[in-house]
Amino acid sequence: MPLVFRESASYCVPMYDENAFPQADEQPIRMPAVPVLVTHVRSCAWLSADGEIETLSLKEGARRLSTSEVPVLVLHALATARRLRCGPFPRLDLLELFAFVRPAQFCLPTPRGLADVLGLTEPTSLEDEVETLREACLMLFKELRQKSTKELQTMAWAMKAGGWSWGQLVLSALGAEGGDAPHSGALLRSLQIWHKLKEWVESAPPPPPGHLPVEPVEARAKLDQLLGAGAEERIEQKDYAASICEAFQAPNAAGEPAMALVEAGTGVGKTLGYIAPASVWAKKNQGAVWISTYTRNLQRQLDGELDKLFEDPKEKKRKVVIRKGRENYFCLLNFEEAVSRLRLRGDDAPALGLMARWALASRDGDMIGGDFPSWLKELLGARLTVDMTDTRGECVYSSCSHYSKCFIEKTVRRSRRAELVVANHALVMIQAALGGMEEALLPTRYVFDEGHHVFDAADKAFSAHLSGQEGADLRRWLLGAEESSRSRARGLKARIDDLVTGREMEEALDAVLHHARILPGPSWHQRISGGEPMGPFEDFLRRMRQQVYARDNNSDSPLSLECGIEQPVEGLLEAADRLRNALDKIRSPLQRLIKGMMALMDEEADELDSASRQRVEATCASLDRRGVQQVLAWMSMLDSLFNETPPEFVDWYSVDRIDGRDMDVGMHRHWVDPTLPFVEEVVEKSHGVGITSATLCDGSGDRDADWKVAAARTGVSHLAKPAIMHEVKSPFDYPKQTRVYIVDDVRKDNLDQIASAYRELFLAAGGGGLGLFTAVNRLRAVYQKVAEPLDRVGIQLLAQHMDGMDIGTLIDIFRGEKSSCLLGTDAVRDGVDVPGDSLHLIVFDRVPWPRPTILHKARKRSFPGRSYDEMIARLRLKQAFGRLVRRKSDRGVFVMLDRQTPTRMLGAFPEGVEVIRTGLADTIKGVHEFLDVK
């Protein structure tokens, strides 16, 4: 069947001849004769097609959009529509053009960000910004002409045929506007980028690493080399590099790794401090050191720091790998299926063209925190962007036609021969616990940066959830897309049919698929809330939901609800028993299927090539991890309803809600102390581990007690051999560089007073303010009250959950726009690394006490009295305060708007920092004077 795109919806856009960039012997590059629009919080600028600039109200801007006969040139259409409070509109989004011309390149989605990356004059007013968009458009067209090839022209034709608003203009810039469109086969082939990617080559597994230690003198020498001649002498950094060497000593007994627990204050230079001994160990022992982080931001920072270790980019590519889970990488098979559906959905062509351009330019296919611009997901939607990853665990491994070009497989193989692998806590824990890597290939040396998050990461990695969403995901993984679903999910049969057809295993596969239909199916939410469940799983969900609504006193709240498992409501135990029996009928054939596939490797050992053997092994591991182990965990949880929950666990029921809407219902099981499995599965199987952070100790005032807390939160207190614990003080002069204010005349329960305080404090600081909130509804209320007053004086207010952008994009803008302020919750507190000229004021709405959940209550029992709550709150304050000063020239102010802040919380701040309890007026004056705002 020939490719048939929908009727082209590309706009017929007139163009200015007088703005042409003449090219020798070629058609001129011309500016589209369309209006340009830039919006701010309370007004917008409109540059008409004939060059007249007007400043309009948002209401008038929305009206102009609705009546425009041609598309409007904008930057980030979703954010523009959000500010104008309007729906989709005909537009030319410059971010789409930028992504086409410069794929896999970073650009802040703001006029200033675009000007910076293109080398244009920085705009200083709203009027300048609309001119900047127009200049940027012309510059990108000129650059596009220089890159013009037949292949690029054909791809542009394909995108134009799918209705791309830029199609006609891009073809003109490429010098291809006047010719005939290529035939449908050529259009389709232009998007089949898998033919253009290089294959990876399999190599023999590396030998095991040696055991030569790293001495402090070696680490110091390597650090000097990394810093280069003339670098500032930092004694603290050298002391830190020496102390982390303990993690690179040879172990003396099995299960007793060399262990270093090092707290290093902000400004010590931790990253180069541990890169130095890690690189020495890797080279001496011909093995890999895995450096694990919690946030994407630190992964990106590490990637940049490693440029100092390897000046040659090719050498760095060989020896350094950024490693993440499969769900982070672009899947070529998913992309091929999306391209094949163009026969039915031709309007997907523009998004697929942009994705093709990115995939060909990407360093490693990483879509989550890599070189994929997060704003593309916002503009194009998740379905054709981040959903192209293997989010559902449906990889078919070597049976995939793209296996030899697969991004994740290439990354996995590179990591086996790398010297330094930069990963994240979740991946490290999951692969160690669930067999995500062959035992012989597991790393023997780790450095966990952001070590204060080890507890939380382990809590997520080693927990179990018997919920509607988890059950529906397992059903989709086993059965694939069903008739009533739009999902493109491939089921188990599609993934392994060629391996089992005609063999005894086929009967086991059929049994698995038959019994999997007891799992929650499409529309399960509606059925259980309406009292009409289908099957034992949905019936159990309905009974759990009934118990939660009956027992949680906050059922009228829009927040999530929970209750204990004791004293079950009528019918719940019977439903649990039926579900357990039904789950066992899935488990049994799954185990037979795994056994049969493993036997296949023995029976056909002389016929299976390496790739096929790896496929069988990976499939069996996946069946065990995603199927058998998950079902066994659920059955164990159900058993506890008839007996008792083991003392090391805590179980409860919940209804997860967003803005009052039920999103999931489930039973949850967490370790009371999740560092126990972390130590057993990761630490004790290694030869050496370093755990480091600026906030390992909470600042209670008793240093011995603080180190006990640090040992407990990281799990090293469970080790047979004690860890070496070391502290390296920050080089910053905090008493001189910072101030702390506790405002004692603002009522934290009065949002008008809170909003006024944020407004005046941000004004006093001249921007550069980070507002942290303990609840999203409070953040939203404050944003609505202060955004316009700040905009009047040129301070842009960014906000999590308010702008049409993800948190990573917001932080990037906050870092780049020096006069902006940002409102956020915990994710912002942990993910911000911003220099002092962009961040010099932090305002907390209230003491960040932990939420009193059932899980928190169980953990609190293992700590004396109120100390557990205070520890968590102090650590959160300490982490936030650490964002303030990143250089010796920085100055910063920390403000707490909670007059009930206990004195015992002040240990979160460095010794000697002045803490002033005073009224709001004096605080505002103090902020203004201390920061010396002009």
Side-chain angles (χ1 to χ4, degrees):
M1 178 179 177
L3 173 65
V4 179
F5 288 121
R6 292 182 178 181
E7 186 67 27
S8 173
S10 291
Y11 302 102
C12 228
V13 181
M15 294 186 246
Y16 288 123
D17 288 331
E18 60 267 28
N19 288 320
F21 280 103
Q23 304 288 315
D25 302 322
E26 293 180 351
Q27 299 175 9
I29 299 174
R30 296 169 294 173
M31 175 65 192
V34 298
V36 184
L37 175 68
V38 172
T39 60
H40 279 205
V41 171
R42 61 188 180 88
S43 61
C44 56
W46 180 278
L47 174 63
S48 66
D50 56 11
E52 181 182 355
I53 297 179
E54 301 174 77
T55 301
L56 309 173
S57 67
L58 295 181
K59 184 176 181 181
E60 175 60 17
R63 190 194 68 78
R64 294 275 182 99
L65 279 184
S66 65
T67 58
S68 178
E69 297 180 356
V70 293
V72 178
L73 185 66
V74 297
L75 190 70
H76 205 302
L78 187 62
T80 299
R82 182 75 63 90
R83 282 186 173 169
L84 295 177
R85 298 181 181 178
C86 67
F89 57 90
R91 77 268 187 178
L92 295 166
D93 195 324
L94 259 176
L95 289 178
E96 292 184 23
L97 181 62
F98 183 87
F100 186 83
V101 179
R102 295 192 178 190
Q105 290 192 28
F106 177 73
C107 170
L108 280 180
T110 66
R112 270 191 284 271
L114 194 61
D116 180 63
V117 77
L118 294 178
L120 300 173
T121 302
E122 181 178 308
T124 58
S125 67
L126 192 54
E127 291 75 15
D128 287 347
E129 290 181 0
V130 288
E131 290 282 10
T132 296
L133 297 199
R134 184 173 157 185
E135 291 176 26
C137 182
L138 286 167
M139 180 166 286
L140 289 170
F141 281 162
K142 185 177 181 181
E143 191 173 320
L144 196 55
R145 174 64 60 87
Q146 296 169 347
K147 295 181 176 181
S148 183
T149 63
K150 191 68 176 177
E151 288 183 352
L152 195 57
Q153 291 175 14
T154 306
M155 184 178 289
W157 274 112
M159 296 168 70
K160 179 180 184 293
W164 192 31
S165 58
W166 283 103
Q168 171 193 343
L169 301 170
V170 164
L171 286 169
S172 177
L174 288 169
E177 183 184 24
D180 294 332
H183 60 82
S184 60
L187 297 181
L188 190 61
R189 283 195 299 274
S190 72
L191 298 175
Q192 294 172 348
I193 49 121
W194 47 89
H195 299 303
K196 304 173 187 176
L197 296 172
K198 291 183 179 179
E199 295 186 356
W200 50 261
V201 179
E202 193 72 79
S203 57
H211 302 286
L212 297 174
V214 177
E215 301 300 333
V217 65
E218 296 177 283
R220 291 174 186 268
K222 187 64 176 181
L223 181 60
D224 285 338
Q225 180 186 337
L226 293 175
L227 292 172
E232 177 187 356
E233 181 78 9
R234 285 200 276 182
I235 300 300
E236 297 88 357
Q237 191 175 30
K238 290 188 175 183
D239 289 345
Y240 175 82
S243 65
I244 207 77
C245 282
E246 181 63 30
F248 299 101
Q249 303 304 302
N252 294 316
E256 296 184 7
M259 191 81 197
L261 191 62
V262 186
E263 179 173 83
T266 305
V268 165
K270 291 193 301 297
T271 50
L272 285 181
Y274 57 66
I275 284 173
S279 61
V280 171
W281 186 91
K283 188 170 290 293
K284 287 176 70 173
N285 295 285
Q286 298 183 339
V289 177
W290 278 51
I291 300 172
S292 182
T293 77
Y294 188 73
T295 62
R296 298 176 200 159
N297 182 65
L298 183 54
Q299 274 197 337
R300 186 164 57 183
Q301 180 184 329
L302 269 166
D303 190 20
E305 293 278 30
L306 287 165
D307 290 340
K308 299 173 184 176
L309 183 63
F310 303 104
E311 295 181 1
D312 181 357
K314 292 182 179 179
E315 184 183 13
K316 180 186 174 185
K317 187 173 182 179
R318 288 195 308 271
K319 296 184 177 181
V320 175
V321 174
I322 309 296
R323 180 78 161 83
K324 300 180 181 179
R326 287 182 174 271
E327 69 280 1
N328 290 271
Y329 294 90
F330 186 69
C331 173
L332 290 170
L333 185 56
N334 283 341
F335 185 72
E336 181 186 10
E337 291 181 355
V339 170
S340 70
R341 288 197 301 274
L342 282 175
R343 294 178 173 86
L344 303 174
R345 298 197 58 157
D347 53 357
D348 284 347
L352 294 177
L354 293 178
M355 291 301 297
R357 290 283 290 156
W358 169 78
L360 287 172
S362 176
R363 179 177 70 171
D364 55 11
D366 178 7
M367 299 190 69
I368 313 297
D371 55 20
F372 180 76
S374 57
W375 39 257
L376 260 187
K377 171 196 169 185
E378 298 156 12
L379 299 180
L380 305 179
R383 180 175 65 87
L384 296 175
T385 55
V386 294
D387 281 359
M388 290 288 176
T389 62
D390 183 23
T391 54
R392 295 173 293 267
E394 298 160 1
C395 183
V396 294
Y397 300 97
S398 63
S399 67
C400 176
S401 56
H402 308 301
Y403 183 67
S404 62
K405 298 180 179 181
C406 174
F407 284 112
I408 178 59
E409 293 295 337
K410 186 183 298 184
T411 300
V412 167
R413 279 153 185 79
R414 286 179 55 223
S415 68
R416 291 174 182 171
R417 309 197 72 83
E419 292 185 358
L420 298 174
V421 178
V422 181
N424 56 66
H425 296 353
L427 174 66
V428 168
M429 294 177 190
I430 290 171
Q431 76 171 14
L434 302 178
M437 183 181 286
E438 296 174 40
E439 191 72 25
L441 298 175
L442 282 172
T444 62
R445 303 285 170 165
Y446 297 98
V447 175
F448 287 90
D449 200 346
E450 299 180 302
H452 58 281
H453 281 303
V454 162
F455 189 96
D456 295 329
D459 189 32
K460 294 176 183 175
F462 300 108
S463 57
H465 308 277
L466 172 54
S467 72
Q469 191 62 58
E470 292 282 334
D473 285 347
L474 181 57
R475 178 182 176 121
R476 224 173 2 252
W477 187 74
L478 293 171
L479 298 181
E482 300 181 64
E483 292 182 6
S484 60
S485 171
R486 295 183 179 181
S487 170
R488 62 167 182 264
R490 293 181 294 275
L492 183 59
K493 186 175 179 62
R495 299 197 298 275
I496 67 171
D497 197 39
D498 59 313
L499 294 173
V500 303
T501 300
R503 297 183 170 96
E504 292 182 12
M505 295 176 287
E506 190 170 13
E507 181 182 345
L509 174 60
D510 290 341
V512 169
L513 300 182
H514 172 73
H515 292 296
R517 296 190 178 277
I518 65 99
L519 299 167
S523 303
W524 66 267
H525 284 97
Q526 293 90 323
R527 287 194 295 275
I528 68 164
S529 59
E532 298 178 350
M534 288 178 54
F537 203 121
E538 291 185 16
D539 187 39
F540 181 65
L541 294 176
R542 179 176 72 92
R543 305 283 181 176
M544 278 196 296
R545 182 178 183 274
Q546 176 188 343
Q547 180 157 327
V548 173
Y549 269 91
R551 307 279 171 84
D552 193 311
N553 294 330
N554 300 308
S555 57
D556 292 333
S557 164
L559 303 178
S560 296
L561 310 173
E562 65 177 21
C563 76
I565 65 171
E566 60 276 0
Q567 296 298 309
V569 296
E570 183 179 353
L572 191 147
L573 288 180
E574 292 77 5
D577 188 51
R578 288 193 296 272
L579 176 57
R580 192 197 183 288
N581 292 333
L583 290 173
D584 199 39
K585 292 178 181 177
I586 298 176
R587 176 200 58 80
S588 181
L590 269 174
Q591 290 180 320
R592 293 202 307 273
L593 184 58
I594 294 172
K595 184 177 179 180
M597 294 187 72
M598 294 302 290
L600 179 67
M601 287 200 295
D602 281 340
E603 295 166 5
E604 302 184 11
D606 59 335
E607 298 178 16
L608 291 175
D609 57 23
S610 295
S612 297
R613 291 184 68 85
Q614 289 174 1
R615 179 193 172 195
V616 172
E617 289 175 345
T619 300
C620 289
S622 183
L623 287 170
D624 183 60
R625 180 171 66 249
R626 288 289 303 266
V628 175
Q629 296 304 319
Q630 185 169 26
V631 169
L632 285 173
W634 288 348
M635 292 169 65
S636 175
M637 293 164 69
L638 293 170
D639 285 341
S640 295
L641 299 180
F642 300 92
N643 303 294
E644 287 187 359
T645 300
E648 63 268 27
F649 298 116
V650 56
D651 294 341
W652 74 95
Y653 302 142
S654 77
V655 175
D656 293 335
R657 310 172 85 194
I658 296 179
D659 294 331
R661 286 182 54 219
D662 289 6
M663 304 303 294
D664 201 4
V665 179
M667 179 180 180
H668 306 273
R669 168 166 287 181
H670 284 238
W671 286 79
V672 175
D673 181 358
T675 65
L676 281 167
F678 166 64
V679 167
E680 181 180 347
E681 299 293 344
V682 180
V683 178
E684 290 181 343
K685 292 179 180 179
S686 70
H687 292 165
V689 177
I691 299 180
T692 186
S693 171
T695 52
L696 291 176
C697 300
D698 70 305
S700 68
D702 182 337
R703 204 57 181 165
D704 289 339
D706 287 351
W707 276 111
K708 287 181 180 178
V709 166
R713 296 285 290 179
T714 56
V716 302
S717 57
H718 303 307
L719 291 172
K721 178 186 175 183
I724 299 299
M725 300 184 187
H726 194 74
E727 178 185 10
V728 181
K729 295 286 188 181
S730 170
F732 297 145
D733 187 349
Y734 282 111
K736 180 180 177 181
Q737 292 179 253
T738 62
R739 291 286 185 276
V740 175
Y741 288 92
I742 299 175
V743 179
D744 60 13
D745 60 355
V746 170
R747 290 179 51 187
K748 64 182 180 182
D749 59 344
N750 187 313
L751 282 174
D752 287 333
Q753 291 186 22
I754 293 291
S756 298
Y758 271 99
R759 181 190 66 228
E760 296 305 318
L761 288 166
F762 285 168
L763 289 171
L770 175 63
L772 295 172
F773 291 81
T774 53
V776 174
N777 61 331
R778 290 168 64 82
L779 181 156
R780 288 173 172 163
V782 169
Y783 176 85
Q784 297 289 355
K785 294 175 184 292
V786 306
E788 287 195 21
L790 292 177
D791 187 66
R792 290 192 192 102
V793 296
I795 297 176
Q796 180 184 10
L797 184 63
L798 307 163
Q800 190 184 4
H801 305 290
M802 294 299 297
D803 295 282
M805 305 178 189
D806 76 0
I807 188 59
T809 303
L810 290 174
I811 292 173
D812 286 336
I813 296 174
F814 180 52
R815 182 184 295 110
E817 302 279 353
K818 294 180 172 57
S819 62
S820 64
C821 292
L822 174 63
L823 305 181
T825 55
D826 283 356
V828 175
R829 182 192 71 228
D830 293 329
V832 172
D833 184 15
V834 177
D837 48 359
S838 292
L839 171 58
H840 41 254
L841 171 69
I842 291 178
V843 184
F844 245 111
D845 71 327
R846 55 175 62 181
V847 175
W849 299 113
R851 190 177 169 210
T853 62
I854 291 172
L855 178 60
H856 173 75
K857 180 180 178 181
R859 288 176 176 162
K860 188 175 178 179
R861 281 197 295 265
S862 64
F863 284 78
R866 63 188 178 187
S867 62
Y868 186 66
D869 288 347
E870 293 172 3
M871 174 201 67
I872 292 175
R874 270 195 301 268
L875 284 172
R876 290 174 178 175
L877 292 175
K878 190 175 182 180
Q879 291 155 22
F881 183 89
R883 307 294 95 193
L884 263 183
V885 175
R886 315 302 289 176
R887 302 170 301 196
K888 287 188 176 181
S889 59
D890 290 347
R891 293 170 70 83
V893 180
F894 188 99
V895 178
M896 175 65 70
L897 296 178
D898 189 345
R899 59 186 173 188
Q900 296 176 323
T901 303
T903 301
R904 56 186 179 275
M905 289 291 102
L906 305 185
F909 308 119
E911 185 178 352
V913 171
E914 186 177 5
V915 179
I916 305 168
R917 291 183 184 266
T918 187
L920 179 60
D922 287 341
T923 302
I924 293 167
K925 181 180 178 182
V927 168
H928 186 84
E929 292 177 350
F930 185 75
L931 297 178
D932 193 24
V933 178
K934 305 298 184 183

